[in-house]
Amino acid sequence: MSLRRLGCVAALDLREAGRRPLFWFWAALMAVNAWLMSRGAWIYRSVDTSLGSPRAWVDSEFQIAFVLPLLGFLLVSFFFAVVAGMPLIRDAERRVGELLGATPLTPGEYVWGKFAAALGACLAVLAVFLGVLILLVHGLPEASNPEIYGPFVIAAYLRPMLLLLVPGMVFVAGAAFFLGELSGRPILVFLLPVVLLPFLQDFVWRWFPRELDPRLGVALRLLDPSGFRWLKEVWLRVDRGIGFYNTRPIVYDAQFVASRIGFVLAGLLLVDLARRHFARRRGAPARADRRSDRSDRSRSAASGGDALAARFTPLSSLAMSGRPPGLLAGALAVARFELRELVSQPGLYIFVPCLALFLVIDYAATEPYFDAPILLTPGTAAVRGLFGLTLWLCPLLLFYTVESLARDRSTGLAAIAYATPVATPSLLAGKALANGAVVAASLATGLATAAAIILSQ
């Protein structure tokens, strides 16, 4: 592998990234979040803050460590997934593969150069975010609240960034890169952060049952890509006082540091798997073309006489006729086709079971102060399940709607589908009906889960 050629690929992609509006929009969004952090909008509040004690410092290591994992999977992971997962898909759409065969680039140089450029661009945005945060906190602080700022300690910014945010983001980038190369479908790349957020929110960050086995608790802490469960369980669940959180650094144990290194290595391993798959796929077309040429020649030789006889058969003898379908008939035909396609998508089998599992866990929660079971009524069940249903069903509807609209183009069926006599309103109405049926099935699953729990009380 030539590092010079790898560097040329990375440099070319980095220059192109600098011209994309996505990065400027992302950088501006991160700057806004840096401003919110510098003004205390994102902050962990100790019990001491309600008793007239000193205010929480926005620049303490605990405060920054509290915000970064949440910010990472609420916002940053989506951009990491899109930036890292799209380069190979974009090159395939541009038909760059034909040009690669005429260059001395190896699959490793091409794939690793693409990933290095994507990861470097993402880390550059994070560096801008960190620089803006430091500037706003220590260069342009809020004059009306001087008590929320402490002394400048560079380690309070760098250690949470390197141990809590970056490892999880490298893993997400590697997973998105692998999905993009393996499937060639942008929608699967976008699905990754959409699935990760509600899963972490419902089953990792907020799930602390009393009967949980300690060994399982340790495993959840170490397998959380955000690191937020470790921070919450080790340092925040027992309030240590605002003076402790303002002045003390976080002590990262060896197991946690090893898990962070593991996430980085796992992300890089996924990139190498993408390289291997790309190398195998790059060598397949030539062999497939040779086999298809031989089979075509044999078929043409065998069927030459039949083709000559059929050439003189007039089409009028088939007595074919047709007419464009109506609005409703066309919409129902499209809906039937879309439902068959949507049912075969893996996202449905991820979202619906996780939704039912979330409702079971949420409804089994006890009263927070007296540890008594909560008697569920239909109204209580609706209120408790509203947040989870919204968090799960909105991304589900978003995912399937975009997937159904983009599938024709990504599969090469658009030219055929748009040439059919089905009217555009029928086409859109059919896709909407199919997506509505998926949401209805998900709601029915949630309703059945809630009804079963209520009846079992």
Side-chain angles (χ1 to χ4, degrees), residues 173-233:
F177 192 86
F178 176 72
L179 283 175
E181 202 289 322
L182 188 67
S183 66
R185 301 177 65 182
I187 198 66
L188 292 182
V189 174
F190 303 153
L191 175 65
L192 177 64
V194 172
V195 170
L196 273 177
L197 174 59
F199 179 80
L200 293 175
Q201 169 73 18
D202 295 331
F203 305 128
V204 179
W205 297 344
R206 304 196 315 167
W207 190 49
F208 295 96
R210 290 180 177 272
E211 64 275 10
L212 183 66
D213 188 283
R215 291 171 295 182
L216 181 57
V218 173
L220 286 174
R221 290 200 300 268
L222 299 181
L223 294 177
D224 175 17
S226 69
F228 185 71
R229 185 183 179 95
W230 174 86
L231 178 71
K232 187 175 181 179
E233 196 166 11

Side-chain angles (χ1 to χ4, degrees), residues 49 105 427 435 451 455:
T49 57
L105 281 175
L427 184 65
N435 292 319
L455 293 175

Side-chain angles (χ1 to χ4, degrees), residues 102-323:
T103 67
L105 281 175
T106 64
E109 294 164 353
Y110 172 71
V111 170
W112 281 107
K114 288 286 183 178
F115 180 76
L119 185 61
C122 293
L123 293 179
V125 174
L126 292 185
V128 170
F129 160 74
L130 195 61
V132 172
L133 178 61
I134 293 174
L135 174 64
L136 292 174
V137 171
H138 300 284
L140 301 169
E142 188 176 5
S144 59
N145 286 317
E147 64 274 12
I148 66 173
Y149 302 104
F152 174 67
V153 180
I154 189 62
Y157 294 92
L158 293 181
R159 291 197 297 184
M161 178 71 74
L162 295 177
L163 291 173
L164 291 171
L165 183 61
V166 170
M169 295 302 102
V170 173
F171 173 74
V172 169
F177 192 86
F178 176 72
L179 283 175
E181 202 289 322
L182 188 67
S183 66
R185 301 177 65 182
I187 198 66
L188 292 182
V189 174
F190 303 153
L191 175 65
L192 177 64
V194 172
V195 170
L196 273 177
L197 174 59
F199 179 80
L200 293 175
Q201 169 73 18
D202 295 331
F203 305 128
V204 179
W205 297 344
R206 304 196 315 167
W207 190 49
F208 295 96
R210 290 180 177 272
E211 64 275 10
L212 183 66
D213 188 283
R215 291 171 295 182
L216 181 57
V218 173
L220 286 174
R221 290 200 300 268
L222 299 181
L223 294 177
D224 175 17
S226 69
F228 185 71
R229 185 183 179 95
W230 174 86
L231 178 71
K232 187 175 181 179
E233 196 166 11
V234 174
W235 294 104
L236 302 181
R237 291 196 73 192
V238 177
D239 197 331
R240 301 169 186 263
I242 199 62
F244 180 90
Y245 294 128
N246 280 347
T247 59
R248 297 288 294 273
I250 300 176
V251 179
Y252 301 90
D253 57 71
Q255 281 186 327
F256 179 74
V257 174
S259 73
R260 301 297 95 190
I261 297 174
F263 276 110
V264 173
L265 295 179
L268 298 179
L269 176 61
L270 289 171
V271 177
D272 194 63
L273 291 177
R275 176 194 63 81
R276 294 172 183 270
H277 186 268
F278 178 82
R280 289 195 300 268
R281 187 163 54 86
R282 182 178 177 181
R287 294 191 295 269
D289 290 342
R290 287 195 294 269
R291 288 196 297 268
S292 63
D293 289 342
R294 288 195 296 268
S295 61
D296 289 343
R297 285 195 298 270
S298 62
R299 282 196 301 268
S300 62
S303 61
D306 296 337
L308 183 63
R311 186 173 57 184
F312 298 101
T313 303
L315 289 177
S316 59
S317 63
L318 299 177
M320 294 184 299
S321 64
R323 61 177 182 176

